[in-house]
Amino acid sequence: MIKEVYITETNCITPIGFDVTSNIKNIGDEVSGIQLHDKPKLFHVPFYASIIDDADLDLAFAKITAATHYSRLEKMMILALDPIIKKAKFVFSERTGFLLSTTKGNVTALENQNLESAYLHQLAQTIADFFKFKTEPIVVSNACVSGILAVSVAKRLLQAEVFDNVFIVAGDEISKFILSGFNSFQAMSDLPCKPYSINRTGVTLGEAAAAVLVSSNKENAKIKVIGDGSINDANHISGPSRTGEGLFRSIQSALAEAKINSSQIDYISAHGTATLYNDEMEAIALNRLGLENVPVNSLKGFYGHTLGASGLLETVIGIQSVQESKLFVSLGFDTIGVSQPIHIIEKNEDKNIRYFLKTASGFGGCNTAVLFEKVN
C-alpha cells in the first residue's frame, strides 16, 4: 500500500509578512509587496519589484542568532525554517530529510569572486549545518518549478520509505544578475504585473522564502498530497509549448495518481507570470482538461515572480485558502487577455475547497502539477 503524505507545518518570509498569518491578512486586504524601487546597484533605472526590507530582515534574524556571516538569502531561508523546526520538536535522525529549492541561490557571491559560496550544494549545507540535520541535504533546482517540484520529490521520498519526514525550504532573492537576465529577455513589465490581462506586459520580479514539513504522520496535518506530475515540453529554452502540452500532461498525470477527475477540482493556484506566452499556454492547457470554469488565481500581483520560491510560497498560501475556505483575488487582473476562457478570481470570496491544484512552469520547458486534498 502506498504511504499517505501530508503537509503538517508551513511558513513564509515575504515583503508583506514574516509569517503565514500576516501574509494572509495582507492578501485579504489586497496589500501588495510590489513597489517602485530606485536601486542603481541592482538596475540602471527605477523598476517595480517586491523586495524584503533589509532592516526588517536583519532585525528578525538577530532574534535567532548573533552570527553575522550569513548571506541575505541564507537569512531568509533560516527565518522561514526556524519556527516550523522548533514547533515540530524533532530529534533529527537518518529518517529526517532536508530539501533546499532555489533557482539562483547565492548568485550574488559571484560579484565578489566568491565562487564556493555560489554553489547550490554549499548553500544547502550551510542551512543544514545551522539546524544540525543528520542527513545530507538534497538540492532541487529546476527553474521556476523548483519550489513545487520539491514537494513532489519529498512525497516520493516518503513513499519510497527513504525518510519519515522531510523539511523543505525554497528561496530566491532579487539580484543584479536576475534583473539583467529578465531584462535581456524583454520579459520585465514597466508596471506592476497583470496576470492574464489583455494589457499585461511581462513579469514583476520578487523575492521570498517559504518552508514546509512534509510527513507520513497525519497528526497535525494541514493538507494531504494526493497526486503529482512533472513533464518537460521540450519546446524552447525560454518559451513554453504553444499547446500547453507539458502542463496539460503534468496535470493529467497528477489527476490519474489522485484518482479524481478534473470536475472535482475546486481551486487552482496557477503560475500566472503575466508574460504573453506563459498565461496563454496555461489557459490552453486548462481548457484542454475542462478546467476553464474552475476558480483560478495568480499570486504574482502580491509577490511578483519569486522564481524558485514561487511554487512553495503559493502552495503555502493555497493551503491557507483551503483551511479558511477562502478564494483570494488574482491581484492586478482587469480584462481577460488570453484566447481561451478561464475563471479568474476577481474578488475575495468564501468557498468550501476540498481539492486544490498547484501548477508551475519554467524555463527549459519544465512543468509541475501537484494535487492536494483537505484533511477533515
Side-chain angles (χ1 to χ4, degrees), residues 184-366:
S184 69
F185 280 121
Q186 299 182 331
M188 282 175 56
S189 175
D190 55 1
L191 291 171
C193 62
K194 293 175 171 291
Y196 308 108
S197 299
I198 193 167
N199 55 354
R200 67 188 186 278
T201 57
V203 303
T204 300
L205 291 166
E207 61 184 13
V212 300
L213 171 57
V214 187
S215 177
S216 56
N217 185 349
K218 189 178 180 181
E219 187 178 0
N220 300 320
K222 291 178 178 288
I223 207 157
K224 183 178 178 182
V225 188
I226 58 172
D228 66 284
S230 191
I231 308 290
N232 192 292
D233 64 33
N235 179 71
H236 187 270
I237 189 68
S238 62
S241 160
R242 300 300 187 259
T243 62
E245 195 64 31
L247 181 58
F248 168 79
R249 294 193 188 195
S250 296
I251 298 172
Q252 201 174 46
S253 178
L255 285 166
E257 183 185 4
K259 294 183 173 56
I260 65 170
N261 59 57
S262 58
S263 66
Q264 293 176 269
I265 297 175
D266 299 302
Y267 160 56
I268 303 168
S269 174
H271 196 46
T273 62
T275 63
L276 185 64
Y277 291 119
N278 175 83
D279 293 8
E280 176 67 13
M281 176 276 291
E282 288 185 282
I284 292 170
L286 295 181
N287 273 263
R288 289 179 65 187
L289 288 152
L291 291 167
E292 64 271 20
N293 294 318
V294 179
V296 57
N297 65 8
S298 163
L299 294 170
K300 303 296 191 291
F302 292 100
Y303 296 116
H305 190 352
T306 58
L307 307 183
S310 62
L312 195 63
L313 170 63
E314 293 160 12
T315 295
V316 168
I317 302 303
I319 290 170
Q320 287 305 119
S321 286
V322 174
Q323 289 208 309
E324 299 182 20
S325 299
K326 288 185 181 299
L327 294 176
F328 293 117
V329 62
S330 193
L331 196 66
F333 174 77
D334 43 36
T335 304
I336 192 77
V338 290
S339 67
Q340 306 290 311
I342 50 176
H343 181 180
I344 303 293
I345 303 168
E346 298 190 53
K347 62 178 181 180
N348 297 329
E349 56 187 282
D350 296 331
K351 179 181 172 66
N352 186 40
I353 304 165
R354 179 177 179 186
Y355 294 111
F356 151 49
L357 171 65
K358 176 68 199 127
T359 68
S361 303
F363 284 166
C366 53

Side-chain angles (χ1 to χ4, degrees), residues 86-288:
K86 286 178 176 171
K87 191 172 179 182
K89 297 179 180 176
F90 283 169
V91 176
F92 290 152
S93 70
E94 297 300 316
R95 302 293 299 170
T96 307
F98 170 51
L99 269 63
L100 182 140
S101 179
T102 184
T103 60
K104 297 294 178 288
N106 277 325
V107 71
T108 52
L110 295 177
E111 296 173 15
N112 301 317
Q113 305 298 313
N114 189 353
L115 299 182
E116 187 64 27
S117 296
Y119 288 122
L120 298 186
H121 72 82
Q122 184 59 54
L123 169 62
Q125 193 62 58
T126 298
I127 304 300
D129 289 345
F130 182 90
F131 291 106
K132 298 181 171 53
F133 282 98
K134 303 296 184 187
T135 51
E136 184 176 358
I138 299 170
V139 174
V140 177
S141 183
N142 189 8
C144 298
V145 308
S146 300
I148 188 62
L149 182 61
V151 175
S152 175
V153 172
K155 166 181 164 288
R156 296 181 185 204
L157 288 168
L158 290 173
Q159 290 176 334
E161 301 193 2
V162 176
F163 301 117
D164 296 324
N165 300 283
V166 176
F167 287 91
I168 304 173
V169 67
D172 266 302
E173 65 170 335
I174 295 283
S175 68
K176 184 178 180 180
F177 180 91
I178 290 170
L179 287 164
S180 60
F182 274 83
N183 184 58
S184 69
F185 280 121
Q186 299 182 331
M188 282 175 56
S189 175
D190 55 1
L191 291 171
C193 62
K194 293 175 171 291
Y196 308 108
S197 299
I198 193 167
N199 55 354
R200 67 188 186 278
T201 57
V203 303
T204 300
L205 291 166
E207 61 184 13
V212 300
L213 171 57
V214 187
S215 177
S216 56
N217 185 349
K218 189 178 180 181
E219 187 178 0
N220 300 320
K222 291 178 178 288
I223 207 157
K224 183 178 178 182
V225 188
I226 58 172
D228 66 284
S230 191
I231 308 290
N232 192 292
D233 64 33
N235 179 71
H236 187 270
I237 189 68
S238 62
S241 160
R242 300 300 187 259
T243 62
E245 195 64 31
L247 181 58
F248 168 79
R249 294 193 188 195
S250 296
I251 298 172
Q252 201 174 46
S253 178
L255 285 166
E257 183 185 4
K259 294 183 173 56
I260 65 170
N261 59 57
S262 58
S263 66
Q264 293 176 269
I265 297 175
D266 299 302
Y267 160 56
I268 303 168
S269 174
H271 196 46
T273 62
T275 63
L276 185 64
Y277 291 119
N278 175 83
D279 293 8
E280 176 67 13
M281 176 276 291
E282 288 185 282
I284 292 170
L286 295 181
N287 273 263
R288 289 179 65 187

